[in-house]
PDB file of all heavy atoms in Angstrom:
ATOM      1  N   GLY A  11      -1.421  -2.100  -5.974  1.00 98.00           N
ATOM      2  CA  GLY A  11      -1.180  -0.802  -6.568  1.00 98.00           C
ATOM      3  C   GLY A  11       0.286  -0.488  -6.588  1.00 98.00           C
ATOM      4  O   GLY A  11       0.899  -0.201  -5.525  1.00 98.00           O
ATOM      5  N   LEU A  12       0.895  -0.643  -7.738  1.00 98.00           N
ATOM      6  CA  LEU A  12       2.397  -0.546  -7.791  1.00 98.00           C
ATOM      7  C   LEU A  12       2.769   0.772  -8.547  1.00 98.00           C
ATOM      8  O   LEU A  12       3.557   0.781  -9.479  1.00 98.00           O
ATOM      9  CB  LEU A  12       2.989  -1.694  -8.496  1.00 98.00           C
ATOM     10  CG  LEU A  12       2.712  -3.052  -7.726  1.00 98.00           C
ATOM     11  CD1 LEU A  12       3.056  -4.289  -8.560  1.00 98.00           C
ATOM     12  CD2 LEU A  12       3.515  -3.084  -6.394  1.00 98.00           C
ATOM     13  N   GLY A  13       2.218   1.890  -8.022  1.00 97.00           N
ATOM     14  CA  GLY A  13       2.707   3.225  -8.462  1.00 97.00           C
ATOM     15  C   GLY A  13       3.955   3.515  -7.690  1.00 97.00           C
ATOM     16  O   GLY A  13       4.603   2.625  -7.121  1.00 97.00           O
ATOM     17  N   ARG A  14       4.353   4.785  -7.625  1.00 96.00           N
ATOM     18  CA  ARG A  14       5.593   5.145  -6.895  1.00 96.00           C
ATOM     19  C   ARG A  14       5.447   4.790  -5.441  1.00 96.00           C
ATOM     20  O   ARG A  14       6.418   4.245  -4.810  1.00 96.00           O
ATOM     21  CB  ARG A  14       5.900   6.626  -7.021  1.00 96.00           C
ATOM     22  CG  ARG A  14       6.368   7.028  -8.445  1.00 96.00           C
ATOM     23  CD  ARG A  14       6.241   8.527  -8.624  1.00 96.00           C
ATOM     24  NE  ARG A  14       4.861   8.923  -8.435  1.00 96.00           N
ATOM     25  CZ  ARG A  14       4.432  10.124  -8.442  1.00 96.00           C
ATOM     26  NH1 ARG A  14       5.246  11.134  -8.645  1.00 96.00           N
ATOM     27  NH2 ARG A  14       3.164  10.439  -8.246  1.00 96.00           N
ATOM     28  N   PHE A  15       4.301   5.100  -4.881  1.00 97.00           N
ATOM     29  CA  PHE A  15       4.110   4.841  -3.434  1.00 97.00           C
ATOM     30  C   PHE A  15       4.147   3.378  -3.089  1.00 97.00           C
ATOM     31  O   PHE A  15       4.903   2.929  -2.241  1.00 97.00           O
ATOM     32  CB  PHE A  15       2.758   5.470  -3.007  1.00 97.00           C
ATOM     33  CG  PHE A  15       2.419   5.316  -1.613  1.00 97.00           C
ATOM     34  CD1 PHE A  15       3.030   6.047  -0.588  1.00 97.00           C
ATOM     35  CD2 PHE A  15       1.419   4.426  -1.181  1.00 97.00           C
ATOM     36  CE1 PHE A  15       2.738   5.881   0.716  1.00 97.00           C
ATOM     37  CE2 PHE A  15       1.088   4.269   0.127  1.00 97.00           C
ATOM     38  CZ  PHE A  15       1.734   4.982   1.075  1.00 97.00           C
ATOM     39  N   ASP A  34      -1.001  -5.392  -9.426  1.00 98.00           N
ATOM     40  CA  ASP A  34      -1.489  -4.218 -10.112  1.00 98.00           C
ATOM     41  C   ASP A  34      -2.266  -4.667 -11.352  1.00 98.00           C
ATOM     42  O   ASP A  34      -2.058  -5.685 -11.893  1.00 98.00           O
ATOM     43  CB  ASP A  34      -0.357  -3.290 -10.520  1.00 98.00           C
ATOM     44  CG  ASP A  34      -0.764  -1.858 -10.807  1.00 98.00           C
ATOM     45  OD1 ASP A  34      -1.494  -1.636 -11.755  1.00 98.00           O
ATOM     46  OD2 ASP A  34      -0.395  -0.986  -9.973  1.00 98.00           O
ATOM     47  N   ILE A  35      -3.254  -3.783 -11.663  1.00 98.00           N
ATOM     48  CA  ILE A  35      -4.095  -4.059 -12.838  1.00 98.00           C
ATOM     49  C   ILE A  35      -3.377  -3.836 -14.129  1.00 98.00           C
ATOM     50  O   ILE A  35      -3.756  -4.334 -15.158  1.00 98.00           O
ATOM     51  CB  ILE A  35      -5.399  -3.212 -12.729  1.00 98.00           C
ATOM     52  CG1 ILE A  35      -6.546  -3.792 -13.582  1.00 98.00           C
ATOM     53  CG2 ILE A  35      -5.122  -1.771 -13.020  1.00 98.00           C
ATOM     54  CD1 ILE A  35      -7.874  -3.131 -13.303  1.00 98.00           C
ATOM     55  N   ASN A  36      -2.317  -3.040 -14.003  1.00 98.00           N
ATOM     56  CA  ASN A  36      -1.589  -2.540 -15.147  1.00 98.00           C
ATOM     57  C   ASN A  36      -0.319  -3.359 -15.377  1.00 98.00           C
ATOM     58  O   ASN A  36       0.574  -3.445 -14.489  1.00 98.00           O
ATOM     59  CB  ASN A  36      -1.262  -1.023 -14.956  1.00 98.00           C
ATOM     60  CG  ASN A  36      -0.527  -0.444 -16.115  1.00 98.00           C
ATOM     61  OD1 ASN A  36       0.677  -0.582 -16.181  1.00 98.00           O
ATOM     62  ND2 ASN A  36      -1.229   0.200 -16.931  1.00 98.00           N
ATOM     63  N   SER A  39       3.068  -1.485 -14.858  1.00 98.00           N
ATOM     64  CA  SER A  39       3.393  -1.230 -13.442  1.00 98.00           C
ATOM     65  C   SER A  39       3.953  -2.472 -12.781  1.00 98.00           C
ATOM     66  O   SER A  39       4.908  -2.396 -11.976  1.00 98.00           O
ATOM     67  CB  SER A  39       2.152  -0.765 -12.693  1.00 98.00           C
ATOM     68  OG  SER A  39       1.630   0.337 -13.283  1.00 98.00           O
ATOM     69  N   ALA A  53      -3.650  -8.152 -11.762  1.00 98.00           N
ATOM     70  CA  ALA A  53      -5.001  -8.539 -11.332  1.00 98.00           C
ATOM     71  C   ALA A  53      -5.769  -7.275 -10.947  1.00 98.00           C
ATOM     72  O   ALA A  53      -5.179  -6.246 -10.574  1.00 98.00           O
ATOM     73  CB  ALA A  53      -4.966  -9.468 -10.170  1.00 98.00           C
ATOM     74  N   ASP A  54      -7.085  -7.371 -11.063  1.00 98.00           N
ATOM     75  CA  ASP A  54      -7.999  -6.316 -10.618  1.00 98.00           C
ATOM     76  C   ASP A  54      -8.391  -6.615  -9.206  1.00 98.00           C
ATOM     77  O   ASP A  54      -9.120  -7.593  -8.951  1.00 98.00           O
ATOM     78  CB  ASP A  54      -9.204  -6.232 -11.558  1.00 98.00           C
ATOM     79  CG  ASP A  54     -10.168  -5.134 -11.185  1.00 98.00           C
ATOM     80  OD1 ASP A  54      -9.998  -4.501 -10.091  1.00 98.00           O
ATOM     81  OD2 ASP A  54     -11.044  -4.861 -11.995  1.00 98.00           O
ATOM     82  N   SER A  55      -7.958  -5.807  -8.281  1.00 98.00           N
ATOM     83  CA  SER A  55      -8.210  -6.079  -6.846  1.00 98.00           C
ATOM     84  C   SER A  55      -9.618  -5.889  -6.479  1.00 98.00           C
ATOM     85  O   SER A  55     -10.008  -6.152  -5.296  1.00 98.00           O
ATOM     86  CB  SER A  55      -7.279  -5.255  -5.957  1.00 98.00           C
ATOM     87  OG  SER A  55      -7.466  -3.879  -6.235  1.00 98.00           O
ATOM     88  N   THR A  56     -10.466  -5.303  -7.325  1.00 98.00           N
ATOM     89  CA  THR A  56     -11.916  -5.193  -7.035  1.00 98.00           C
ATOM     90  C   THR A  56     -12.615  -6.494  -7.298  1.00 98.00           C
ATOM     91  O   THR A  56     -13.882  -6.558  -7.109  1.00 98.00           O
ATOM     92  CB  THR A  56     -12.532  -4.004  -7.748  1.00 98.00           C
ATOM     93  OG1 THR A  56     -12.532  -4.284  -9.155  1.00 98.00           O
ATOM     94  CG2 THR A  56     -11.839  -2.720  -7.477  1.00 98.00           C
ATOM     95  N   ALA A  75      -2.391   0.554  -2.067  1.00 98.00           N
ATOM     96  CA  ALA A  75      -1.706   1.780  -2.505  1.00 98.00           C
ATOM     97  C   ALA A  75      -2.364   2.336  -3.799  1.00 98.00           C
ATOM     98  O   ALA A  75      -1.644   2.816  -4.667  1.00 98.00           O
ATOM     99  CB  ALA A  75      -0.172   1.487  -2.688  1.00 98.00           C
ATOM    100  N   ILE A  76      -3.681   2.190  -3.839  1.00 98.00           N
ATOM    101  CA  ILE A  76      -4.425   2.769  -4.998  1.00 98.00           C
ATOM    102  C   ILE A  76      -4.938   4.128  -4.502  1.00 98.00           C
ATOM    103  O   ILE A  76      -5.561   4.177  -3.427  1.00 98.00           O
ATOM    104  CB  ILE A  76      -5.617   1.935  -5.381  1.00 98.00           C
ATOM    105  CG1 ILE A  76      -5.202   0.506  -5.772  1.00 98.00           C
ATOM    106  CG2 ILE A  76      -6.437   2.600  -6.496  1.00 98.00           C
ATOM    107  CD1 ILE A  76      -6.355  -0.444  -5.933  1.00 98.00           C
ATOM    108  N   GLY A  77      -4.651   5.201  -5.187  1.00 89.00           N
ATOM    109  CA  GLY A  77      -5.028   6.506  -4.732  1.00 89.00           C
ATOM    110  C   GLY A  77      -6.118   7.214  -5.533  1.00 89.00           C
ATOM    111  O   GLY A  77      -7.236   7.361  -5.106  1.00 89.00           O
ATOM    112  N   ASP A  78      -5.719   7.452  -6.805  1.00 93.00           N
ATOM    113  CA  ASP A  78      -6.624   8.273  -7.627  1.00 93.00           C
ATOM    114  C   ASP A  78      -8.030   7.639  -7.859  1.00 93.00           C
ATOM    115  O   ASP A  78      -8.998   8.327  -7.871  1.00 93.00           O
ATOM    116  CB  ASP A  78      -5.969   8.497  -8.995  1.00 93.00           C
ATOM    117  CG  ASP A  78      -4.754   9.391  -8.828  1.00 93.00           C
ATOM    118  OD1 ASP A  78      -4.593  10.024  -7.729  1.00 93.00           O
ATOM    119  OD2 ASP A  78      -3.879   9.416  -9.760  1.00 93.00           O
ATOM    120  N   ASP A  79      -8.010   6.349  -8.076  1.00 96.00           N
ATOM    121  CA  ASP A  79      -9.317   5.617  -8.284  1.00 96.00           C
ATOM    122  C   ASP A  79      -9.896   5.257  -6.972  1.00 96.00           C
ATOM    123  O   ASP A  79      -9.746   4.146  -6.402  1.00 96.00           O
ATOM    124  CB  ASP A  79      -9.005   4.380  -9.152  1.00 96.00           C
ATOM    125  CG  ASP A  79     -10.270   3.680  -9.579  1.00 96.00           C
ATOM    126  OD1 ASP A  79     -11.375   4.063  -9.051  1.00 96.00           O
ATOM    127  OD2 ASP A  79     -10.194   2.836 -10.444  1.00 96.00           O
ATOM    128  N   SER A  82     -12.084   2.161  -6.645  1.00 98.00           N
ATOM    129  CA  SER A  82     -11.323   0.860  -6.563  1.00 98.00           C
ATOM    130  C   SER A  82     -10.651   0.690  -5.201  1.00 98.00           C
ATOM    131  O   SER A  82     -10.606  -0.461  -4.733  1.00 98.00           O
ATOM    132  CB  SER A  82     -10.225   0.822  -7.637  1.00 98.00           C
ATOM    133  OG  SER A  82     -10.809   0.663  -8.881  1.00 98.00           O
ATOM    134  N   LYS A 101      -3.727   3.953   1.398  1.00 98.00           N
ATOM    135  CA  LYS A 101      -3.339   5.342   1.108  1.00 98.00           C
ATOM    136  C   LYS A 101      -4.588   6.094   0.760  1.00 98.00           C
ATOM    137  O   LYS A 101      -5.498   5.625   0.060  1.00 98.00           O
ATOM    138  CB  LYS A 101      -2.389   5.298  -0.073  1.00 98.00           C
ATOM    139  CG  LYS A 101      -2.445   6.426  -1.047  1.00 98.00           C
ATOM    140  CD  LYS A 101      -1.354   6.277  -2.125  1.00 98.00           C
ATOM    141  CE  LYS A 101      -1.793   6.922  -3.444  1.00 98.00           C
ATOM    142  NZ  LYS A 101      -0.745   6.908  -4.434  1.00 98.00           N
TER     143      LYS A 101
HETATM  144  P1  ATP B  29       1.715   7.007  -7.144  1.00 67.44           P
HETATM  145  O1  ATP B  29       1.391   8.375  -6.643  1.00 67.44           O
HETATM  146  O2  ATP B  29       1.977   6.039  -6.039  1.00 67.44           O
HETATM  147  O3  ATP B  29       2.766   6.949  -8.207  1.00 67.44           O
HETATM  148  P2  ATP B  29      -0.189   6.822  -9.216  1.00 67.44           P
HETATM  149  O4  ATP B  29      -0.307   8.307  -9.398  1.00 67.44           O
HETATM  150  O5  ATP B  29       0.619   6.059 -10.277  1.00 67.44           O
HETATM  151  O6  ATP B  29       0.382   6.473  -7.790  1.00 67.44           O
HETATM  152  P3  ATP B  29      -2.674   5.734  -8.323  1.00 67.44           P
HETATM  153  O7  ATP B  29      -3.984   6.120  -8.830  1.00 67.44           O
HETATM  154  O8  ATP B  29      -2.392   6.073  -6.911  1.00 67.44           O
HETATM  155  O9  ATP B  29      -1.612   6.215  -9.288  1.00 67.44           O
HETATM  156  O10 ATP B  29      -2.603   4.126  -8.514  1.00 67.44           O
HETATM  157  C1  ATP B  29      -1.539   3.380  -8.100  1.00 67.44           C
HETATM  158  C2  ATP B  29      -1.539   2.071  -8.843  1.00 67.44           C
HETATM  159  O11 ATP B  29      -2.760   1.324  -8.547  1.00 67.44           O
HETATM  160  C3  ATP B  29      -1.504   2.205 -10.331  1.00 67.44           C
HETATM  161  O12 ATP B  29      -0.354   1.511 -10.855  1.00 67.44           O
HETATM  162  C4  ATP B  29      -2.802   1.512 -10.872  1.00 67.44           C
HETATM  163  O13 ATP B  29      -2.607   0.762 -12.042  1.00 67.44           O
HETATM  164  C5  ATP B  29      -3.144   0.587  -9.672  1.00 67.44           C
HETATM  165  N1  ATP B  29      -4.552   0.248  -9.635  1.00 67.44           N
HETATM  166  C6  ATP B  29      -5.610   1.096  -9.841  1.00 67.44           C
HETATM  167  N2  ATP B  29      -6.801   0.378  -9.752  1.00 67.44           N
HETATM  168  C7  ATP B  29      -6.463  -0.902  -9.516  1.00 67.44           C
HETATM  169  C8  ATP B  29      -7.196  -2.119  -9.332  1.00 67.44           C
HETATM  170  N3  ATP B  29      -8.558  -2.132  -9.407  1.00 67.44           N
HETATM  171  N4  ATP B  29      -6.516  -3.280  -9.105  1.00 67.44           N
HETATM  172  C9  ATP B  29      -5.158  -3.270  -9.072  1.00 67.44           C
HETATM  173  N5  ATP B  29      -4.390  -2.181  -9.206  1.00 67.44           N
HETATM  174  C10 ATP B  29      -5.047  -0.987  -9.399  1.00 67.44           C
END
Side-chain angles (χ1 to χ4, degrees):
L12 298 168
R14 287 164 302 176
F15 180 73
D34 202 290
I35 199 168
N36 180 277
S39 303
D54 181 350
S55 59
T56 64
I76 302 171
D78 294 342
D79 187 348
S82 287
K101 146 177 152 174

